[in-house]
Amino acid sequence: MFIRYSSGVGPSSVRAERGEPACQHRIQEFHPGYLSDWNIDRIFANSKAKIRLDKERKEFRLERGVRQGDPMSPKMFNSLLEEVFRKRKLNEGITIDGKKLSNIRFADDIVLLATSAKKLEAMIVELQNLSTEVGLQLNPQKTKVMTNNSKIPITIGSRQLDYVTEYIYLGQLMSFHNRRQDEIQRRIRNYGRDFGASVSF
């Protein structure tokens, strides 16, 4: 299962309320040494932004999110997400070389692994509940399921998750089927799009 969080609570989206992130106290509670030297209150207090189109617009206060490119943003998100996964109790996953692997994570690109749809559903429900506790919200519309077995319905709340036969994860086409040629063509198209070239082999 490929997990996606809502755009409002990803690595670049820490909520600011009354001049401080809503997740600040949780991060300090989980990792007091990690952020003890940071005066987070002052970093986020009175954060403002402007929109510049034909002319510079009036400043407005940031009520949600952080300044574009703020280096604190991914650190805060990763700190919360790490605590979420540490608190997970379900010991599910797949066994590789005698060791159980339940998830793969790179920033907010997350994959959950399980041997059955029932176990996967239990894992996603647990993840959703723990994420909600720290102010993170899963995005059921962008969360996808891939299987090499029967497509048994999996739901988050009242929404049934979509099954896919392929998925782009960290720039790589993932599939249980042989998609090598498709991946080569996809990369060629991306090259042409990015560099304005027409390439064929």
Side-chain angles (χ1 to χ4, degrees), residues 70-88:
D70 194 317
M72 280 294 292
S73 177
K75 291 180 175 63
M76 298 178 82
F77 175 81
N78 289 337
S79 182
L80 288 175
L81 193 61
E82 178 64 25
E83 184 61 24
V84 166
F85 275 83
R86 288 184 181 184
K87 292 173 68 175
R88 292 172 63 242

Side-chain angles (χ1 to χ4, degrees), residues 95-137:
T95 302
I96 300 178
D97 196 24
K99 296 182 179 180
K100 184 160 287 187
L101 180 65
S102 64
N103 66 88
I104 302 172
R105 287 179 286 153
F106 184 86
D108 64 335
D109 292 307
I110 304 167
V111 179
L112 293 184
L113 305 169
T115 56
S116 70
K118 184 177 180 180
K119 292 178 179 180
L120 193 59
E121 185 171 45
M123 292 171 69
I124 188 65
V125 169
E126 180 187 47
L127 181 62
Q128 181 190 38
N129 292 338
L130 292 174
S131 296
T132 300
E133 289 180 10
V134 298
L136 302 177
Q137 201 63 242

